[in-house]
Amino acid sequence: MKHIKTLNTKSLQNTVKKGGCGECQTSCQSACKTSCTVGNQSCEHK
Amino acid sequence: MIHLYKSNGFNMVLDVNSGSVHVVDDCVYDVLSCMNEGKNAEETAEALSSKYAEQDITEAREEIQELADNGMLFTKDIYENAIDQFSNRPTVVKALCLHIAHDCNLACRYCFAEEGEYHGRRALMSLEVGKKALDFLIANSGSRRNLEVDFFGGEPLMNWDVVKQLVAYGREQEKLHNKNFRFTLTTNGVLLNDEVMEFCNKEMGNVVLSIDGRKEVHDHMRPFRKGAGSYDLIVPKFQKFAELRHQDKYYVRGTFTHYNTDFAADVLHLADLGFKQISVEPVVAPPTEDYAIREEDLPVIFEQYDILAREMIKREKEGRGFNFFHFMIDLTGGPCVYKRLSGCGSGTEYLAVTPWGDFYPCHQFVGQEDFCLGNVYEGVKKTETVNEFKKCNVYSKKECSQCFARFYCSGGCAANSYNFTGKINDVYEIGCKMQQKRIECALMIKAALAED
């Protein structure tokens, strides 16, 4: 593309079917004890 | 829904529902702005005719259409029904914050725990209560294998023997029940020594080391009870600890307040001390506190996030980068949409345990009797409160459903909401604005680093 550069290709919509296993880290447990931040967590269910 | 913004010379486009991030030229940016305003092709062409050649506008529209056809622009929100089902699932407990000591050797001015006492009495958790808590976690964790236990306080090193014995007990029990305990420790560093470091490096998946940044900032907010600062005592120990952990699986964590809205200098100070994993975040405080972040602080805070983002890009390119927790976004992996919408799990998957064994929805609520949910002996009793926490998700808040940041903050912090609105399921606007700014910076950093 000439006018647009896309930084990622993974769509959140793809996680609807296989997501929700719940094994991931609790978001407020470490590093931030006072802010709910989940965007930077990793998925345990690769 | 798309979110358009300009940052550090980049034209950024976030397609909210797919999570796709695009960097676009001025022409596409302006075309998208017109589309967002509801202009049709003709109106867009007319509005931009003096600025761009017709061919450029046509090309821009074609590229936009191609991305839309591929589910990367203007994607629909298909999650609302899914999250309803997800929210109604039987919940299990997977993480505990153990208040191993309601006592502290510092007297931090902003402490929500009121120098460790949490509006209550000084107390240390007994081994018996701790064991009961771990038993409760195992028994209520269903099929979840990874169980998290944070040793928190007050200052947990004031009850270090119990921490060690609980880790040993957890290691013994995890084998019997096919679980995997992930222990973490949050400490102010005052009692940190070689023995503690060695034990933590063997047993703790993460350690959180509390330090606010520059000496004068740190010492002002984190003094000993008699008033002396704690910076000089803890810094060399934290530096040693971070090195022993190979600059990984730890965070130096600070709090900024109304008194140091120039916190970028604190983050950079921590980086200059050699730390590679840094988290500095805004204080959680009722608006009545003098150190609370106010609406009028926001322009300065936003500018600070911009300064920090630019400096991080520079340092990364020079090969001396560091991680700032709130700018970390994984665009290629990251959590599933359920996790992103359902939030921290406070009051459901995540509970705090007081030294005498009472359960609270999270550490921020400890000491507020109305929120006591039960105890380690009888389990969770106050199911109506648990159900209220269970309902906390992005779709239960009108503001979130219109916010571009909803898949990154998951609806925000219930304690923050309660502090400011008296309800757990509302929004804390100042926090929202800071979160939005952080996400904008984080995405821009990705764009800047993808340039070369």
Side-chain angles (χ1 to χ4, degrees):
Chain A
M1 282 194 180
K2 192 172 147 194
H3 301 269
I4 302 175
K5 179 177 172 182
T6 298
L7 298 182
N8 60 336
T9 50
K10 191 194 169 196
S11 172
L12 275 181
Q13 298 190 323
N14 295 338
T15 67
V16 172
K17 282 180 191 158
K18 62 170 190 173
C21 75
E23 288 290 349
C24 49
Q25 192 191 17
T26 305
S27 54
C28 204
Q29 187 73 314
S30 293
C32 69
K33 268 300 204 184
T34 51
S35 65
C36 194
T37 306
V38 302
N40 54 14
Q41 286 193 263
S42 54
C43 176
E44 300 266 350
H45 183 71
K46 299 280 181 191
Chain B
M1 180 184 181
I2 60 169
H3 177 61
L4 295 165
Y5 68 99
K6 289 175 186 273
S7 174
N8 196 23
F10 294 93
N11 296 332
M12 304 292 302
V13 182
L14 169 66
D15 183 49
V16 175
N17 293 317
S18 70
S20 300
V21 182
H22 313 284
V23 185
V24 304
D25 66 9
D26 288 341
C27 182
V28 171
Y29 192 89
D30 288 343
V31 170
L32 284 169
S33 302
C34 287
M35 292 171 82
N36 246 1
E37 289 163 18
K39 289 192 172 76
N40 62 27
E42 216 167 72
E43 290 164 337
T44 301
E46 196 187 320
L48 301 177
S49 62
S50 61
K51 212 170 165 190
Y52 305 105
E54 199 182 327
Q55 194 194 340
D56 281 339
I57 299 174
T58 307
E59 273 177 14
R61 289 195 63 90
E62 284 168 0
E63 291 189 13
I64 289 167
Q65 189 58 48
E66 189 183 331
L67 289 178
D69 291 343
N70 287 318
M72 296 162 81
L73 262 183
F74 299 112
T75 46
K76 298 269 181 271
D77 188 333
I78 58 164
Y79 313 119
E80 191 162 358
N81 292 334
I83 195 74
D84 272 350
Q85 283 180 339
F86 185 69
S87 302
N88 290 333
R89 78 201 185 286
T91 47
V92 295
V93 183
K94 63 177 193 178
L96 293 181
C97 179
L98 290 190
H99 290 229
I100 209 79
H102 272 192
D103 197 356
C104 192
N105 36 27
L106 291 182
C108 305
R109 291 174 203 270
Y110 46 57
C111 187
F112 59 87
E114 301 203 315
E115 299 174 17
E117 293 158 49
Y118 287 87
H119 318 279
R121 59 187 191 271
R122 283 173 201 282
L124 301 180
M125 184 179 282
S126 68
L127 180 60
E128 188 218 346
V129 166
K131 281 181 169 178
K132 286 274 179 202
L134 297 189
D135 291 344
F136 168 86
L137 179 55
I138 290 170
N140 289 275
S141 59
S143 59
R144 309 290 162 98
R145 185 161 185 275
N146 294 316
L147 304 180
E148 294 155 43
V149 175
D150 189 32
F151 294 106
F152 200 64
E155 170 50 41
L157 295 188
M158 294 179 82
N159 197 9
W160 178 235
D161 276 342
V162 169
V163 171
K164 285 191 290 187
Q165 289 176 71
L166 284 175
V167 169
Y169 181 70
R171 293 287 173 240
E172 177 192 304
Q173 292 298 310
E174 68 182 3
K175 289 189 194 84
L176 300 174
H177 299 277
N178 189 30
K179 301 287 177 184
N180 177 41
F181 274 112
R182 289 175 176 168
F183 293 109
T184 59
L185 176 85
T186 301
T187 178
N188 64 25
V190 171
L191 295 174
L192 192 58
N193 60 30
D194 288 350
E195 186 257 327
V196 173
M197 290 187 215
E198 194 182 324
F199 183 88
C200 289
N201 290 343
K202 194 166 155 244
E203 296 289 359
M204 304 282 174
N206 196 23
V207 290
V208 180
L209 312 174
S210 302
I211 175 172
D212 281 353
R214 291 164 292 179
K215 178 175 161 65
E216 62 274 21
V217 170
H218 179 93
D219 282 346
H220 176 68
M221 289 310 276
R222 303 183 62 84
F224 286 97
R225 285 169 186 262
K226 287 184 178 171
S230 56
Y231 179 96
D232 290 336
L233 175 71
I234 62 161
V235 166
K237 295 198 273 191
F238 283 176
Q239 285 172 313
K240 182 178 179 182
F241 204 4
E243 280 302 315
L244 287 172
R245 293 180 77 82
H246 311 292
Q247 292 294 341
D248 195 18
K249 308 239 184 284
Y250 79 95
Y251 278 93
V252 283
R253 187 206 167 278
T255 300
F256 72 84
T257 72
H258 174 69
Y259 292 118
N260 64 317
T261 49
D262 60 340
F263 65 91
D266 293 296
V267 177
L268 296 174
H269 177 78
L270 293 171
D272 290 339
L273 287 174
F275 296 112
K276 296 291 184 191
Q277 312 295 340
I278 301 169
S279 177
V280 174
E281 58 186 331
V283 70
V284 175
T288 46
E289 295 291 353
D290 58 313
Y291 53 78
I293 307 282
R294 301 148 200 192
E295 182 79 29
E296 60 262 34
D297 293 330
L298 289 178
V300 179
I301 290 171
F302 292 168
E303 192 189 6
Q304 290 290 307
Y305 279 126
D306 282 330
I307 290 169
L308 180 60
R310 286 196 297 269
E311 181 64 18
M312 285 181 69
I313 294 164
K314 181 170 165 272
R315 291 189 183 201
E316 187 66 36
K317 288 183 174 176
E318 290 169 358
R320 53 188 190 108
F322 62 91
N323 282 326
F324 178 64
F325 183 78
H326 285 103
F327 285 171
M328 288 162 66
I329 280 189
D330 183 356
L331 292 182
T332 53
C336 64
V337 77
Y338 301 102
K339 173 71 179 177
R340 288 171 187 260
L341 294 174
S342 58
C344 65
S346 62
T348 56
E349 296 180 331
Y350 171 66
L351 299 172
V353 188
T354 66
W356 45 95
D358 284 345
F359 290 135
Y360 284 86
C362 87
H363 55 286
Q364 292 277 347
F365 287 102
V366 166
Q368 303 191 46
E369 295 286 327
D370 289 348
F371 285 97
C372 182
L373 300 176
N375 59 58
V376 295
Y377 302 101
E378 299 169 305
V380 171
K381 291 283 163 203
K382 217 168 174 178
T383 47
E384 68 276 14
T385 307
V386 171
N387 286 335
E388 272 179 55
F389 276 88
K390 208 170 166 178
K391 282 186 206 142
C392 289
N393 71 59
V394 164
Y395 293 107
S396 61
K397 305 176 192 190
K398 189 171 125 275
E399 291 84 349
C400 297
S401 64
Q402 291 154 13
C403 175
F404 78 87
R406 63 181 178 271
F407 295 113
Y408 303 93
C409 90
S410 65
C413 166
N416 253 333
S417 167
Y418 185 74
N419 268 339
F420 276 78
T421 70
K423 290 181 283 186
I424 58 166
N425 204 5
D426 213 321
V427 293
Y428 162 50
E429 271 184 32
I430 294 174
C432 292
K433 288 175 181 168
M434 289 189 284
Q435 176 73 272
Q436 290 166 345
K437 180 65 186 177
R438 292 194 293 258
I439 289 161
E440 288 187 345
C441 287
L443 295 177
M444 182 278 289
I445 291 172
K446 293 282 184 197
L449 295 177
E451 248 195 334
D452 303 325

